[in-house]
Amino acid sequence: MESSLKRALTGEDTEASSGFSPEAKYAKAPDGSHVSMPTVTGNTVHGNINNSHNHYHGLGVSAPATPPQDPDHTSKINEYKTSVCSTYKKVKEYNSGPGENVLLADRYTELLIVETHRKQREREEEIRSRGEHHQQVLKTRDSEAYSRITVDQLFKPDDGGDVPKAVILQGHSGHGKSFTAQKIMYDWSSGKVFKNHHLVFHLKCKELNEISEAHSLVDLLSYSPSFTSETAEVLKDSNMKVLFLIDGFDELKFSFEKTSTVPPKDPFTKAPVEATLNALLKGLVLPKCFLLVTTRSTASDKLSDLLSDSQRFTDILGFTEEGVKEYFQRFFKEEEAFNCVRTNETLYTACFIPVICWITCTVFREQEKGGMDIIKDLETTTSIFMHFVSILLKHHCQGLSQPETLLRSLGQLAEKGLQEQQVLFDEKSLSDAFPDTSQETKYNPFLCKFLLRRKVKQERMYSFMHLSFQEFFTALQYLMLENEEEALKKLRELFRNVKCFKPVVQFLFGLSNRDIYPHLKKQSWASIQVYLQEWLLSVLEKHSMHQEGMLHILHCLYELHEEEFVREAMGVWGEMKFDFIPLTRTDCWVLLYCLQCCPTIRSLKLMWCNITAEKLRMLQPALSRCEELG
C-alpha cells in the first residue's frame, strides 16, 4: 500500500492516465470550430477510436483510457467543479466597491492569441501603426500565417503529434492574462474547455508572495476556497490528469536560483514556497501534470528556462477590431460610444489593449449615467492614458517604492527614442535610463520585452506597448520636473522642432489641464501651462503656421479641454481655411469641439478636404455657428 501510494505521488506509476488526453485528434465541427474526438458520456465512448492515427510522445503523456471509475472520485471532482463554478462566475473590476461584482460572461471578449515569435519589422509595424492601419495589421496577425490559436487549442498536438507539457501564455500588462485564467477556470468547471483534465488548479502568484513559512503543494492549493481535503485525496490517484494554471509568474518575488534545499518529490512534502514552486515548474513533483503559466513578457525567458523542453509559447496581442466593437456592445446598447472612439485615432488604437477598452467604456458609462452628452463631453486621449497609468501603478507595481522615479526614467527613455526615431531599445538603453535596475523590468508594467534573433544569437529588446505611449511618457516627464528653469529650457528646445513632436505637444496640452491628476504635477506646472498657452496664441496671432500646423493647434486645444481658453483662442482665429488638407474623422471630431466652444466664426472653408457624408454629419451641430461656409 505504502509503495503504491509513493508511486502515485512521485509519478513513477506507468499505468495509462484516465480520460482522453488533449492530444486526441481534432476534427472540424460544421460551424468551423474544433471539437476533440472521441468523446465520453458517462462511461460510454462515442466516435471512431483508431489509435494507429494518434501519437503520444510527450513526456508523461499516455494513450487515452477511461475516466476515473471510482465513484467516490467522480463525486469529489463534481463537488470541486461546482465550487469552482460558483467562485469564478463573477469578476471584481478595478473600480469595484465591497460586494460589487459583475458576471464574467458579461465582460469576457475573445482575445487575439498567436503562437508565433514576430520579427523586428513586424514588431515595429505593430508599434508604429495607428487607427485603421493598425487594425489592418492586427487582421494580418489573425491568420494562419501567424498561427492564431484559441484557448481551447492551447494543448493541441503540434505538427509531430506531440502535446506540450507546459504552455506559456505571455501578454503585456492589461492585456487580459488574469481575466483569461479566470475564464478558463469557469469554462472548465462548466464543461466547456479542457474536458480531458480531471482537475484544474489555479495558483495566483500575488498570493504566494505573501507566504513565508514552508508549504507543500497541497498547502498552496488550499489557499483556493474551492480546494478541500477531499480534493487532495483525489490528487493521490496517479490516473488523474491534472492541469495547474499558474497566474502572474512575473509577479513572483523568488529568484529560482540554485539553493541547498532538497526539492520535494510529492505534493504533501513541506518545503520553502520557492522550492515547492520550482519543483512543480520543473516537473519534479507530479511529473505527469500539465502546466499553463501566464506571465508578462519581461519574465517569459526566465520562465522558459525553468520549464521542461516540451512547451508551447503563445502571445496575447489584445483585441481585434471586432473584439473592441463587441466589448463596447457589452456596455452600451447603442453604437454611439463606439463610433465616438472610432473617430479618435489614438484612442481607438489604444483600445486594442483590453484595460484601455475597459477604462474608456467605464468612463463613458459614468458620463452617460450622469446625464452628460457623450459626444460633447468625451474625455480626452490624455485623460484616458492617465487613468491607464494610475491603474497600472496601483495594481501592477507592488514592491515599487518610488513610482515617480519610474515615470521619469520612462520619460527619458521615451524621449531619447523619439529623438533617434527608435521604438525598440536594447539593454544598454534601459540601463542608461534606469538607475534602479529593479525598475527596468521587474516592477515596470509599461515596457514590453521580447527576443529578437540576430544571426546566430538572440538579443533581448524592449518597447513601449505602442508608439502613442512612448509619446505620452515623453510629455509626462515635463510635468514632473521640479526645477522651473530646467522645465522651460527643455520646452523651448522641444518647440524648436514642433513638426517632429506634434503628438508629444498635444499630450503636453492635455496634461496641462488643471484637473488631470494634479498630484503628479510639480511647481513648474503653472509656468509650463502659461508657456504653452502663450505659444499657441502667438502662433494664431501671427498666422505663422501653414494649414497642417493650424490643424495641429486644434488638436492641442481639444486635448487641453478648457473651454474658456479655447474660446479665447478661437476668437483670435476668425477665419479657418483647410483647402486641400485631407481631414480624417479624428480631425473632424476635434474641429467640432473647437467650433462648439466658439460663439461665432466668420469663415470656414473646407474645399477638397475629403469631406464625406459621415464627416459632414459629425460637423453638422457646429456649422450653423459659421457666418460663411465654403
mmCIF file of all heavy atoms in Angstrom, residues 537-579:
data_model
loop_
_atom_site.group_PDB
_atom_site.id
_atom_site.type_symbol
_atom_site.label_atom_id
_atom_site.label_comp_id
_atom_site.label_asym_id
_atom_site.label_seq_id
_atom_site.Cartn_x
_atom_site.Cartn_y
_atom_site.Cartn_z
ATOM 1 N N LEU A 537 -1.250 81.090 -28.654
ATOM 2 C CA LEU A 537 -1.876 82.356 -29.048
ATOM 3 C C LEU A 537 -0.988 83.142 -30.003
ATOM 4 O O LEU A 537 -1.477 83.767 -30.957
ATOM 5 C CB LEU A 537 -2.196 83.191 -27.806
ATOM 6 C CG LEU A 537 -3.329 82.665 -26.912
ATOM 7 C CD1 LEU A 537 -3.435 83.477 -25.635
ATOM 8 C CD2 LEU A 537 -4.654 82.663 -27.659
ATOM 9 N N SER A 538 0.336 83.089 -29.760
ATOM 10 C CA SER A 538 1.251 83.829 -30.637
ATOM 11 C C SER A 538 1.248 83.249 -32.050
ATOM 12 O O SER A 538 1.328 83.983 -33.041
ATOM 13 C CB SER A 538 2.673 83.821 -30.065
ATOM 14 O OG SER A 538 3.240 82.519 -30.135
ATOM 15 N N VAL A 539 1.134 81.934 -32.154
ATOM 16 C CA VAL A 539 1.069 81.286 -33.472
ATOM 17 C C VAL A 539 -0.183 81.743 -34.217
ATOM 18 O O VAL A 539 -0.147 82.060 -35.407
ATOM 19 C CB VAL A 539 1.088 79.742 -33.326
ATOM 20 C CG1 VAL A 539 0.746 79.069 -34.649
ATOM 21 C CG2 VAL A 539 2.452 79.273 -32.844
ATOM 22 N N LEU A 540 -1.294 81.784 -33.501
ATOM 23 C CA LEU A 540 -2.549 82.182 -34.121
ATOM 24 C C LEU A 540 -2.528 83.658 -34.552
ATOM 25 O O LEU A 540 -2.995 84.015 -35.631
ATOM 26 C CB LEU A 540 -3.720 81.942 -33.164
ATOM 27 C CG LEU A 540 -4.101 80.479 -32.917
ATOM 28 C CD1 LEU A 540 -5.173 80.382 -31.838
ATOM 29 C CD2 LEU A 540 -4.590 79.816 -34.189
ATOM 30 N N GLU A 541 -1.989 84.498 -33.693
ATOM 31 C CA GLU A 541 -1.968 85.934 -33.989
ATOM 32 C C GLU A 541 -1.070 86.260 -35.178
ATOM 33 O O GLU A 541 -1.373 87.131 -35.991
ATOM 34 C CB GLU A 541 -1.510 86.712 -32.752
ATOM 35 C CG GLU A 541 -2.590 86.775 -31.667
ATOM 36 C CD GLU A 541 -2.051 87.268 -30.333
ATOM 37 O OE1 GLU A 541 -0.815 87.426 -30.211
ATOM 38 O OE2 GLU A 541 -2.866 87.471 -29.407
ATOM 39 N N LYS A 542 0.036 85.503 -35.285
ATOM 40 C CA LYS A 542 0.987 85.769 -36.379
ATOM 41 C C LYS A 542 0.628 85.025 -37.661
ATOM 42 O O LYS A 542 1.209 85.283 -38.713
ATOM 43 C CB LYS A 542 2.410 85.353 -35.945
ATOM 44 C CG LYS A 542 2.975 86.168 -34.790
ATOM 45 C CD LYS A 542 4.298 85.551 -34.321
ATOM 46 C CE LYS A 542 4.806 86.253 -33.073
ATOM 47 N NZ LYS A 542 6.002 85.573 -32.529
ATOM 48 N N HIS A 543 -0.326 84.089 -37.553
ATOM 49 C CA HIS A 543 -0.660 83.227 -38.695
ATOM 50 C C HIS A 543 0.627 82.634 -39.279
ATOM 51 O O HIS A 543 0.829 82.597 -40.489
ATOM 52 C CB HIS A 543 -1.414 84.006 -39.776
ATOM 53 C CG HIS A 543 -2.739 84.496 -39.309
ATOM 54 N ND1 HIS A 543 -3.839 83.682 -39.191
ATOM 55 C CD2 HIS A 543 -3.137 85.737 -38.912
ATOM 56 C CE1 HIS A 543 -4.874 84.395 -38.747
ATOM 57 N NE2 HIS A 543 -4.470 85.642 -38.566
ATOM 58 N N SER A 544 1.520 82.230 -38.361
ATOM 59 C CA SER A 544 2.860 81.827 -38.792
ATOM 60 C C SER A 544 2.960 80.346 -39.149
ATOM 61 O O SER A 544 4.046 79.851 -39.414
ATOM 62 C CB SER A 544 3.878 82.142 -37.683
ATOM 63 O OG SER A 544 3.539 81.445 -36.492
ATOM 64 N N MET A 545 1.822 79.635 -39.155
ATOM 65 C CA MET A 545 1.881 78.211 -39.481
ATOM 66 C C MET A 545 1.001 77.921 -40.686
ATOM 67 O O MET A 545 -0.018 78.573 -40.901
ATOM 68 C CB MET A 545 1.412 77.361 -38.299
ATOM 69 C CG MET A 545 2.304 77.465 -37.077
ATOM 70 S SD MET A 545 1.782 76.385 -35.738
ATOM 71 C CE MET A 545 2.454 74.824 -36.267
ATOM 72 N N HIS A 546 1.420 76.928 -41.491
ATOM 73 C CA HIS A 546 0.615 76.516 -42.636
ATOM 74 C C HIS A 546 -0.641 75.795 -42.131
ATOM 75 O O HIS A 546 -0.820 75.576 -40.939
ATOM 76 C CB HIS A 546 1.426 75.628 -43.578
ATOM 77 C CG HIS A 546 2.102 74.484 -42.891
ATOM 78 N ND1 HIS A 546 1.395 73.420 -42.393
ATOM 79 C CD2 HIS A 546 3.408 74.261 -42.585
ATOM 80 C CE1 HIS A 546 2.226 72.563 -41.831
ATOM 81 N NE2 HIS A 546 3.460 73.053 -41.930
ATOM 82 N N GLN A 547 -1.498 75.392 -43.060
ATOM 83 C CA GLN A 547 -2.799 74.840 -42.677
ATOM 84 C C GLN A 547 -2.678 73.563 -41.845
ATOM 85 O O GLN A 547 -3.454 73.339 -40.916
ATOM 86 C CB GLN A 547 -3.628 74.575 -43.940
ATOM 87 C CG GLN A 547 -4.017 75.867 -44.652
ATOM 88 C CD GLN A 547 -4.827 75.598 -45.902
ATOM 89 O OE1 GLN A 547 -5.874 74.968 -45.837
ATOM 90 N NE2 GLN A 547 -4.358 76.069 -47.040
ATOM 91 N N GLU A 548 -1.687 72.705 -42.164
ATOM 92 C CA GLU A 548 -1.494 71.484 -41.361
ATOM 93 C C GLU A 548 -1.114 71.851 -39.941
ATOM 94 O O GLU A 548 -1.518 71.188 -38.982
ATOM 95 C CB GLU A 548 -0.420 70.612 -41.995
ATOM 96 C CG GLU A 548 -0.885 69.902 -43.268
ATOM 97 C CD GLU A 548 0.194 69.004 -43.829
ATOM 98 O OE1 GLU A 548 1.258 68.877 -43.198
ATOM 99 O OE2 GLU A 548 -0.027 68.435 -44.909
ATOM 100 N N GLY A 549 -0.320 72.921 -39.793
ATOM 101 C CA GLY A 549 0.051 73.396 -38.459
ATOM 102 C C GLY A 549 -1.151 73.901 -37.691
ATOM 103 O O GLY A 549 -1.284 73.692 -36.483
ATOM 104 N N MET A 550 -2.063 74.570 -38.401
ATOM 105 C CA MET A 550 -3.283 75.062 -37.763
ATOM 106 C C MET A 550 -4.151 73.895 -37.279
ATOM 107 O O MET A 550 -4.790 73.973 -36.234
ATOM 108 C CB MET A 550 -4.081 75.926 -38.752
ATOM 109 C CG MET A 550 -3.413 77.250 -39.080
ATOM 110 S SD MET A 550 -3.200 78.270 -37.595
ATOM 111 C CE MET A 550 -2.431 79.726 -38.290
ATOM 112 N N LEU A 551 -4.166 72.825 -38.042
ATOM 113 C CA LEU A 551 -4.905 71.638 -37.637
ATOM 114 C C LEU A 551 -4.313 71.059 -36.350
ATOM 115 O O LEU A 551 -5.036 70.617 -35.447
ATOM 116 C CB LEU A 551 -4.863 70.592 -38.761
ATOM 117 C CG LEU A 551 -5.850 69.431 -38.691
ATOM 118 C CD1 LEU A 551 -7.282 69.924 -38.609
ATOM 119 C CD2 LEU A 551 -5.659 68.530 -39.898
ATOM 120 N N HIS A 552 -2.997 71.103 -36.265
ATOM 121 C CA HIS A 552 -2.307 70.656 -35.048
ATOM 122 C C HIS A 552 -2.734 71.513 -33.854
ATOM 123 O O HIS A 552 -2.945 70.985 -32.746
ATOM 124 C CB HIS A 552 -0.795 70.747 -35.263
ATOM 125 C CG HIS A 552 0.024 70.554 -34.025
ATOM 126 N ND1 HIS A 552 -0.050 69.428 -33.247
ATOM 127 C CD2 HIS A 552 0.931 71.367 -33.414
ATOM 128 C CE1 HIS A 552 0.780 69.533 -32.226
ATOM 129 N NE2 HIS A 552 1.371 70.705 -32.299
ATOM 130 N N ILE A 553 -2.905 72.828 -34.067
ATOM 131 C CA ILE A 553 -3.350 73.724 -32.995
ATOM 132 C C ILE A 553 -4.730 73.304 -32.488
ATOM 133 O O ILE A 553 -5.005 73.284 -31.280
ATOM 134 C CB ILE A 553 -3.392 75.187 -33.494
ATOM 135 C CG1 ILE A 553 -1.977 75.702 -33.778
ATOM 136 C CG2 ILE A 553 -4.105 76.089 -32.489
ATOM 137 C CD1 ILE A 553 -1.114 75.875 -32.562
ATOM 138 N N LEU A 554 -5.616 72.910 -33.403
ATOM 139 C CA LEU A 554 -6.944 72.445 -32.995
ATOM 140 C C LEU A 554 -6.844 71.221 -32.090
ATOM 141 O O LEU A 554 -7.566 71.098 -31.095
ATOM 142 C CB LEU A 554 -7.791 72.107 -34.220
ATOM 143 C CG LEU A 554 -8.293 73.270 -35.088
ATOM 144 C CD1 LEU A 554 -9.075 72.731 -36.279
ATOM 145 C CD2 LEU A 554 -9.169 74.215 -34.285
ATOM 146 N N HIS A 555 -5.948 70.309 -32.445
ATOM 147 C CA HIS A 555 -5.755 69.103 -31.623
ATOM 148 C C HIS A 555 -5.237 69.476 -30.235
ATOM 149 O O HIS A 555 -5.625 68.859 -29.230
ATOM 150 C CB HIS A 555 -4.783 68.145 -32.318
ATOM 151 C CG HIS A 555 -5.409 67.343 -33.411
ATOM 152 N ND1 HIS A 555 -5.978 66.107 -33.198
ATOM 153 C CD2 HIS A 555 -5.566 67.605 -34.738
ATOM 154 C CE1 HIS A 555 -6.458 65.627 -34.336
ATOM 155 N NE2 HIS A 555 -6.225 66.518 -35.294
ATOM 156 N N CYS A 556 -4.361 70.452 -30.165
ATOM 157 C CA CYS A 556 -3.840 70.912 -28.868
ATOM 158 C C CYS A 556 -4.963 71.493 -28.015
ATOM 159 O O CYS A 556 -5.056 71.217 -26.812
ATOM 160 C CB CYS A 556 -2.748 71.962 -29.083
ATOM 161 S SG CYS A 556 -1.223 71.315 -29.815
ATOM 162 N N LEU A 557 -5.835 72.300 -28.639
ATOM 163 C CA LEU A 557 -6.955 72.903 -27.910
ATOM 164 C C LEU A 557 -7.914 71.822 -27.404
ATOM 165 O O LEU A 557 -8.434 71.914 -26.287
ATOM 166 C CB LEU A 557 -7.705 73.873 -28.828
ATOM 167 C CG LEU A 557 -6.978 75.182 -29.156
ATOM 168 C CD1 LEU A 557 -7.740 75.951 -30.229
ATOM 169 C CD2 LEU A 557 -6.806 76.038 -27.903
ATOM 170 N N TYR A 558 -8.131 70.806 -28.245
ATOM 171 C CA TYR A 558 -9.029 69.726 -27.834
ATOM 172 C C TYR A 558 -8.467 68.989 -26.622
ATOM 173 O O TYR A 558 -9.186 68.701 -25.659
ATOM 174 C CB TYR A 558 -9.252 68.746 -28.989
ATOM 175 C CG TYR A 558 -10.078 67.557 -28.577
ATOM 176 C CD1 TYR A 558 -11.454 67.662 -28.454
ATOM 177 C CD2 TYR A 558 -9.482 66.334 -28.267
ATOM 178 C CE1 TYR A 558 -12.228 66.580 -28.046
ATOM 179 C CE2 TYR A 558 -10.250 65.254 -27.861
ATOM 180 C CZ TYR A 558 -11.616 65.386 -27.755
ATOM 181 O OH TYR A 558 -12.370 64.322 -27.339
ATOM 182 N N GLU A 559 -7.170 68.651 -26.645
ATOM 183 C CA GLU A 559 -6.562 67.922 -25.525
ATOM 184 C C GLU A 559 -6.542 68.774 -24.256
ATOM 185 O O GLU A 559 -6.729 68.265 -23.155
ATOM 186 C CB GLU A 559 -5.147 67.453 -25.889
ATOM 187 C CG GLU A 559 -5.110 66.287 -26.859
ATOM 188 C CD GLU A 559 -5.839 65.046 -26.352
ATOM 189 O OE1 GLU A 559 -5.701 64.708 -25.158
ATOM 190 O OE2 GLU A 559 -6.562 64.419 -27.142
ATOM 191 N N LEU A 560 -6.324 70.090 -24.404
ATOM 192 C CA LEU A 560 -6.353 70.979 -23.233
ATOM 193 C C LEU A 560 -7.742 70.962 -22.595
ATOM 194 O O LEU A 560 -7.884 70.892 -21.373
ATOM 195 C CB LEU A 560 -5.988 72.408 -23.652
ATOM 196 C CG LEU A 560 -6.048 73.466 -22.549
ATOM 197 C CD1 LEU A 560 -5.035 73.173 -21.453
ATOM 198 C CD2 LEU A 560 -5.826 74.856 -23.132
ATOM 199 N N HIS A 561 -8.780 71.044 -23.412
ATOM 200 C CA HIS A 561 -10.174 70.879 -22.972
ATOM 201 C C HIS A 561 -10.562 71.863 -21.872
ATOM 202 O O HIS A 561 -11.253 71.495 -20.914
ATOM 203 C CB HIS A 561 -10.412 69.438 -22.518
ATOM 204 C CG HIS A 561 -11.583 68.789 -23.197
ATOM 205 N ND1 HIS A 561 -11.582 68.457 -24.528
ATOM 206 C CD2 HIS A 561 -12.819 68.420 -22.738
ATOM 207 C CE1 HIS A 561 -12.739 67.900 -24.854
ATOM 208 N NE2 HIS A 561 -13.507 67.871 -23.787
ATOM 209 N N GLU A 562 -10.115 73.092 -21.995
ATOM 210 C CA GLU A 562 -10.536 74.154 -21.073
ATOM 211 C C GLU A 562 -11.271 75.205 -21.899
ATOM 212 O O GLU A 562 -10.650 75.999 -22.620
ATOM 213 C CB GLU A 562 -9.333 74.727 -20.321
ATOM 214 C CG GLU A 562 -8.719 73.717 -19.361
ATOM 215 C CD GLU A 562 -7.701 74.319 -18.402
ATOM 216 O OE1 GLU A 562 -7.447 75.540 -18.485
ATOM 217 O OE2 GLU A 562 -7.164 73.565 -17.568
ATOM 218 N N GLU A 563 -12.587 75.195 -21.801
ATOM 219 C CA GLU A 563 -13.433 75.949 -22.727
ATOM 220 C C GLU A 563 -13.111 77.443 -22.754
ATOM 221 O O GLU A 563 -13.141 78.076 -23.810
ATOM 222 C CB GLU A 563 -14.913 75.732 -22.396
ATOM 223 C CG GLU A 563 -15.430 74.381 -22.838
ATOM 224 C CD GLU A 563 -16.940 74.291 -22.799
ATOM 225 O OE1 GLU A 563 -17.606 75.344 -22.913
ATOM 226 O OE2 GLU A 563 -17.445 73.167 -22.643
ATOM 227 N N GLU A 564 -12.800 78.011 -21.605
ATOM 228 C CA GLU A 564 -12.537 79.452 -21.542
ATOM 229 C C GLU A 564 -11.357 79.827 -22.441
ATOM 230 O O GLU A 564 -11.423 80.778 -23.225
ATOM 231 C CB GLU A 564 -12.257 79.860 -20.093
ATOM 232 C CG GLU A 564 -12.189 81.363 -19.900
ATOM 233 C CD GLU A 564 -11.968 81.737 -18.434
ATOM 234 O OE1 GLU A 564 -12.412 80.973 -17.549
ATOM 235 O OE2 GLU A 564 -11.338 82.783 -18.192
ATOM 236 N N PHE A 565 -10.267 79.044 -22.336
ATOM 237 C CA PHE A 565 -9.103 79.359 -23.166
ATOM 238 C C PHE A 565 -9.366 79.007 -24.634
ATOM 239 O O PHE A 565 -8.936 79.726 -25.534
ATOM 240 C CB PHE A 565 -7.867 78.595 -22.677
ATOM 241 C CG PHE A 565 -6.648 78.864 -23.519
ATOM 242 C CD1 PHE A 565 -5.952 80.058 -23.390
ATOM 243 C CD2 PHE A 565 -6.222 77.940 -24.463
ATOM 244 C CE1 PHE A 565 -4.851 80.323 -24.181
ATOM 245 C CE2 PHE A 565 -5.119 78.195 -25.263
ATOM 246 C CZ PHE A 565 -4.424 79.390 -25.120
ATOM 247 N N VAL A 566 -10.072 77.906 -24.886
ATOM 248 C CA VAL A 566 -10.395 77.529 -26.276
ATOM 249 C C VAL A 566 -11.204 78.644 -26.934
ATOM 250 O O VAL A 566 -10.969 79.016 -28.081
ATOM 251 C CB VAL A 566 -11.163 76.188 -26.321
ATOM 252 C CG1 VAL A 566 -11.583 75.864 -27.753
ATOM 253 C CG2 VAL A 566 -10.307 75.060 -25.760
ATOM 254 N N ARG A 567 -12.160 79.222 -26.179
ATOM 255 C CA ARG A 567 -12.979 80.326 -26.698
ATOM 256 C C ARG A 567 -12.103 81.536 -27.029
ATOM 257 O O ARG A 567 -12.273 82.186 -28.062
ATOM 258 C CB ARG A 567 -14.038 80.693 -25.665
ATOM 259 C CG ARG A 567 -15.180 81.536 -26.225
ATOM 260 C CD ARG A 567 -16.254 81.773 -25.181
ATOM 261 N NE ARG A 567 -16.891 80.537 -24.759
ATOM 262 C CZ ARG A 567 -16.806 80.025 -23.543
ATOM 263 N NH1 ARG A 567 -16.094 80.635 -22.617
ATOM 264 N NH2 ARG A 567 -17.409 78.900 -23.237
ATOM 265 N N GLU A 568 -11.134 81.822 -26.150
ATOM 266 C CA GLU A 568 -10.219 82.941 -26.386
ATOM 267 C C GLU A 568 -9.391 82.706 -27.652
ATOM 268 O O GLU A 568 -9.233 83.592 -28.493
ATOM 269 C CB GLU A 568 -9.285 83.118 -25.171
ATOM 270 C CG GLU A 568 -8.288 84.243 -25.315
ATOM 271 C CD GLU A 568 -7.277 84.292 -24.165
ATOM 272 O OE1 GLU A 568 -7.465 83.557 -23.167
ATOM 273 O OE2 GLU A 568 -6.287 85.044 -24.284
ATOM 274 N N ALA A 569 -8.885 81.491 -27.779
ATOM 275 C CA ALA A 569 -8.044 81.165 -28.941
ATOM 276 C C ALA A 569 -8.855 81.207 -30.231
ATOM 277 O O ALA A 569 -8.407 81.740 -31.259
ATOM 278 C CB ALA A 569 -7.423 79.791 -28.762
ATOM 279 N N MET A 570 -10.049 80.669 -30.207
ATOM 280 C CA MET A 570 -10.885 80.657 -31.406
ATOM 281 C C MET A 570 -11.312 82.062 -31.794
ATOM 282 O O MET A 570 -11.540 82.357 -32.965
ATOM 283 C CB MET A 570 -12.116 79.774 -31.175
ATOM 284 C CG MET A 570 -11.792 78.296 -30.972
ATOM 285 S SD MET A 570 -11.033 77.533 -32.409
ATOM 286 C CE MET A 570 -12.409 77.519 -33.547
ATOM 287 N N GLY A 571 -11.427 82.950 -30.791
ATOM 288 C CA GLY A 571 -11.759 84.348 -31.076
ATOM 289 C C GLY A 571 -10.650 85.042 -31.842
ATOM 290 O O GLY A 571 -10.896 85.891 -32.708
ATOM 291 N N VAL A 572 -9.414 84.679 -31.571
ATOM 292 C CA VAL A 572 -8.260 85.234 -32.283
ATOM 293 C C VAL A 572 -8.262 84.756 -33.733
ATOM 294 O O VAL A 572 -7.881 85.468 -34.655
ATOM 295 C CB VAL A 572 -6.940 84.803 -31.590
ATOM 296 C CG1 VAL A 572 -5.727 85.186 -32.429
ATOM 297 C CG2 VAL A 572 -6.847 85.409 -30.201
ATOM 298 N N TRP A 573 -8.750 83.520 -33.937
ATOM 299 C CA TRP A 573 -8.652 82.878 -35.247
ATOM 300 C C TRP A 573 -9.448 83.617 -36.311
ATOM 301 O O TRP A 573 -8.906 84.034 -37.329
ATOM 302 C CB TRP A 573 -9.155 81.432 -35.126
ATOM 303 C CG TRP A 573 -8.594 80.491 -36.151
ATOM 304 C CD1 TRP A 573 -8.539 80.688 -37.489
ATOM 305 C CD2 TRP A 573 -8.002 79.218 -35.897
ATOM 306 N NE1 TRP A 573 -7.960 79.609 -38.104
ATOM 307 C CE2 TRP A 573 -7.621 78.680 -37.139
ATOM 308 C CE3 TRP A 573 -7.772 78.471 -34.752
ATOM 309 C CZ2 TRP A 573 -7.009 77.429 -37.268
ATOM 310 C CZ3 TRP A 573 -7.174 77.238 -34.877
ATOM 311 C CH2 TRP A 573 -6.794 76.714 -36.120
ATOM 312 N N GLY A 574 -10.757 83.751 -36.115
ATOM 313 C CA GLY A 574 -11.596 84.481 -37.062
ATOM 314 C C GLY A 574 -11.944 83.695 -38.302
ATOM 315 O O GLY A 574 -13.098 83.388 -38.554
ATOM 316 N N GLU A 575 -10.944 83.342 -39.097
ATOM 317 C CA GLU A 575 -11.178 82.600 -40.331
ATOM 318 C C GLU A 575 -10.433 81.259 -40.278
ATOM 319 O O GLU A 575 -9.286 81.202 -39.871
ATOM 320 C CB GLU A 575 -10.679 83.400 -41.533
ATOM 321 C CG GLU A 575 -10.895 82.685 -42.853
ATOM 322 C CD GLU A 575 -10.316 83.460 -44.034
ATOM 323 O OE1 GLU A 575 -9.079 83.502 -44.158
ATOM 324 O OE2 GLU A 575 -11.102 84.014 -44.808
ATOM 325 N N MET A 576 -11.104 80.205 -40.707
ATOM 326 C CA MET A 576 -10.476 78.877 -40.739
ATOM 327 C C MET A 576 -10.545 78.352 -42.166
ATOM 328 O O MET A 576 -11.620 78.292 -42.758
ATOM 329 C CB MET A 576 -11.194 77.910 -39.785
ATOM 330 C CG MET A 576 -11.213 78.383 -38.352
ATOM 331 S SD MET A 576 -12.142 77.278 -37.270
ATOM 332 C CE MET A 576 -11.001 75.941 -37.103
ATOM 333 N N LYS A 577 -9.387 77.960 -42.658
ATOM 334 C CA LYS A 577 -9.303 77.527 -44.052
ATOM 335 C C LYS A 577 -8.433 76.275 -44.131
ATOM 336 O O LYS A 577 -7.274 76.288 -43.724
ATOM 337 C CB LYS A 577 -8.696 78.649 -44.891
ATOM 338 C CG LYS A 577 -8.673 78.379 -46.384
ATOM 339 C CD LYS A 577 -8.110 79.599 -47.107
ATOM 340 C CE LYS A 577 -8.064 79.373 -48.604
ATOM 341 N NZ LYS A 577 -7.478 80.530 -49.313
ATOM 342 N N PHE A 578 -9.012 75.176 -44.631
ATOM 343 C CA PHE A 578 -8.276 73.915 -44.721
ATOM 344 C C PHE A 578 -8.347 73.345 -46.137
ATOM 345 O O PHE A 578 -8.566 72.156 -46.329
ATOM 346 C CB PHE A 578 -8.828 72.901 -43.716
ATOM 347 C CG PHE A 578 -8.653 73.312 -42.291
ATOM 348 C CD1 PHE A 578 -9.724 73.770 -41.543
ATOM 349 C CD2 PHE A 578 -7.405 73.262 -41.695
ATOM 350 C CE1 PHE A 578 -9.560 74.153 -40.224
ATOM 351 C CE2 PHE A 578 -7.224 73.652 -40.377
ATOM 352 C CZ PHE A 578 -8.309 74.104 -39.641
ATOM 353 N N ASP A 579 -8.188 74.200 -47.112
ATOM 354 C CA ASP A 579 -8.252 73.743 -48.501
ATOM 355 C C ASP A 579 -7.153 72.738 -48.812
ATOM 356 O O ASP A 579 -5.998 72.927 -48.427
ATOM 357 C CB ASP A 579 -8.128 74.938 -49.461
ATOM 358 C CG ASP A 579 -9.325 75.872 -49.337
ATOM 359 O OD1 ASP A 579 -10.258 75.501 -48.618
ATOM 360 O OD2 ASP A 579 -9.314 76.950 -49.950
#
